Amino acid sequence: MVLNKLDEAKELAALRIQIDDTDRQIQALINKRAECAQRVADVKQSAADGKEVQYYRPEREAQVLRAVMERNTGPLPAEDMAKLFREIMSCCLALEKPMKVAFLGPEGTYTHAAALKHFGHFVQSQPMAAIDEVFREVESGQANYGVVPVENSTEGMVNHTLDSFINSPLFIAGEVKLRIHHHLLSASVCDDIKSVKRVYSHQQSLAQCRKWLDANCPQIERVAVSSNAEAARLAKAEAGTVAIAGEMAAELYGLIKCAENVEDQPDNTTRFLIIGSKVVPASGKDKTSIMVSVKNKPGALYHLLEPFHKENISLTRIETRPSPSGIWSYVFFIDFEGHIDDESVQQVIRQVSPDVVEVKHLGSYPVGVL
């Protein structure tokens, strides 16, 4: 049935009244939730007996977000609904105590975007110049948590992050995966890309866009810089240059997109780790990371992996790095399903330990929800 102008106006007016009423209810319920968060903080503080209070609980937040997605009935997609709750939880947590999060900077990097995706926009984010600086900031207590990249689906592992765990006392407290979309950015409208002389980007981003650059602008000089945000800053300042960076850097530096989604792989994804000073309790759907130093003997890798097969534990990642303790010695970084407190995982650790030099628990943490 086609509505006339009068009926359309009446129906819209009625719907807007419903929206306004719903908004009032939502606002009241959000404030009620915030009051509950404040009472939680009061209870924790009164029970602390002078000890440090842990306000942020990664396992609890993961459980809440999973429940939000499971009970969602639409029409909003479950992931979008969870993102809304993530921001509500971030805001409520800030009422308890503002949390400081260090990340591989500067502002506008993909790591910055990953930090906001995981913690929400109500944390105090602190950009650091290098991965080891993020570790040090958390180790010193200047930041509650840190966010560092660990692997990319196209370019593989970030070895600097793995190496930083070897001597660090920190634990992995969470993970977040971010779809990486690269854009060709310019300070002004780019009418002719062939007139551009230079493109700035991080070396991994240049590698992830190699085929696109070869096909569309092979004449451009490719210059690797410390971060995509730094590339955006340079493109803003230098005439005749462009940057390969993401949406956040484009907004931060006011750049125009000459071309969108120039990455060679459409499913290009980077995984980031959340690092903290405490072990995270089980959430019900967890992943564990360990570092194993093996004895240099035949069959070492076989004997290392055999207990996982016996206990029916699924490995999700295994990487090898040179050991700092000696030439031709190696350490293995292993990710697998389950929590360190699970009996099956404890069985694996007991079976592995006699045949290796060291087993270091890097963290058990909720599988990334968003």
Side-chain angles (χ1 to χ4, degrees):
M1 182 179 69
V2 178
L3 297 177
N4 58 41
K5 291 293 183 182
L6 182 58
D7 290 337
E8 177 190 13
K10 288 181 179 178
E11 190 159 340
L12 288 175
L15 289 170
R16 285 165 181 157
I17 290 173
Q18 290 184 42
I19 289 173
D20 290 343
D21 183 55
T22 302
D23 286 346
R24 281 189 288 270
Q25 294 178 52
I26 292 172
Q27 186 173 351
L29 289 172
I30 290 175
N31 278 320
K32 184 177 180 180
R33 193 191 195 284
E35 290 172 358
C36 288
Q38 287 179 318
R39 290 203 296 272
V40 166
D42 292 339
V43 170
K44 288 182 177 180
Q45 191 67 50
S46 61
D49 194 25
K51 298 179 182 178
E52 181 184 359
V53 178
Q54 186 178 0
Y55 294 97
Y56 174 66
R57 298 297 298 266
E59 78 285 1
R60 168 62 179 161
E61 294 214 350
Q63 291 166 348
V64 170
L65 291 175
R66 286 180 202 143
V68 167
M69 297 179 76
E70 288 171 3
R71 66 172 175 255
N72 187 59
T73 58
L76 285 179
E79 185 171 335
D80 289 348
M81 182 64 75
K83 288 177 181 177
L84 290 173
F85 269 80
R86 150 57 57 227
E87 293 301 326
I88 292 172
M89 292 159 66
S90 178
C91 186
C92 290
L93 182 62
L95 283 177
E96 296 181 49
K97 184 179 180 180
M99 191 162 56
K100 297 178 181 178
V101 177
F103 66 92
L104 179 62
E107 292 184 348
T109 60
Y110 289 111
T111 312
H112 189 191
L116 296 180
K117 180 180 181 182
H118 186 83
F119 290 102
H121 287 70
F122 293 88
V123 295
Q124 298 176 4
S125 52
Q126 302 175 340
M128 310 304 295
I131 288 173
D132 56 349
E133 289 186 21
V134 177
F135 275 78
R136 285 197 296 270
E137 195 76 358
V138 180
E139 288 173 14
S140 68
Q142 296 301 307
N144 302 102
Y145 290 92
V147 183
V148 290
V150 69
E151 65 175 313
N152 176 263
S153 59
T154 302
E155 293 301 303
M157 301 303 294
V158 180
N159 291 329
H160 196 169
T161 295
L162 295 183
D163 292 344
S164 295
F165 277 111
I166 293 177
N167 296 313
S168 175
L170 298 181
F171 295 96
I172 303 170
E175 65 174 1
V176 55
K177 295 178 181 178
L178 193 67
R179 287 289 295 272
I180 304 298
H181 293 298
H182 296 304
H183 310 305
L184 197 69
L185 307 175
S186 173
S188 58
V189 177
C190 188
D191 296 321
D192 183 11
I193 197 171
K194 293 183 179 179
S195 65
V196 176
K197 299 176 182 178
R198 186 177 300 114
V199 56
Y200 291 110
S201 195
H202 188 274
Q203 60 182 3
Q204 280 211 348
S205 299
L206 290 173
Q208 291 165 21
C209 303
R210 185 185 300 113
K211 292 180 181 178
W212 190 93
L213 290 170
D214 289 344
N216 294 275
C217 42
Q219 83 289 348
I220 294 182
E221 178 189 7
R222 303 170 196 183
V223 181
V225 294
S226 59
S227 70
N228 290 339
E230 173 64 9
R233 187 191 69 79
L234 290 170
K236 181 72 172 179
E238 296 182 19
T241 66
V242 293
I244 289 177
E247 193 81 34
M248 197 170 182
E251 293 177 1
L252 184 63
Y253 291 95
L255 298 177
I256 298 169
K257 295 177 185 177
C258 300
E260 296 186 51
N261 300 337
V262 298
E263 63 275 5
D264 296 331
Q265 300 295 330
D267 59 348
N268 186 24
T269 302
T270 295
R271 177 173 169 243
F272 301 84
L273 296 179
I274 313 303
I275 54 175
S277 59
K278 300 183 183 301
V279 176
V280 178
S283 72
K285 187 177 181 182
D286 301 287
K287 183 184 290 185
T288 293
S289 297
I290 61 174
M291 184 191 76
V292 183
S293 300
V294 299
K295 299 174 182 177
N296 189 8
K297 64 178 184 178
L301 182 58
Y302 171 79
H303 291 295
L304 171 60
L305 299 181
E306 185 182 22
F308 291 94
H309 174 69
K310 286 182 179 179
E311 297 299 327
N312 197 30
I313 291 178
S314 178
L315 301 181
T316 58
R317 170 70 63 178
I318 180 168
E319 292 291 333
T320 309
R321 293 293 297 152
S323 172
S325 61
I327 299 175
W328 307 121
S329 296
Y330 297 91
V331 295
F332 292 93
F333 291 88
I334 304 173
D335 294 347
F336 54 90
E337 295 177 356
H339 193 276
I340 193 67
D341 291 337
D342 296 345
E343 178 55 33
S344 58
V345 174
Q346 286 294 310
Q347 285 281 9
V348 168
I349 300 300
R350 284 193 287 267
Q351 293 175 51
V352 164
S353 296
D355 292 324
V356 302
V357 176
E358 179 189 13
V359 178
K360 182 179 181 182
H361 178 222
L362 301 182
S364 295
Y365 46 95
V367 174
V369 180
L370 291 175

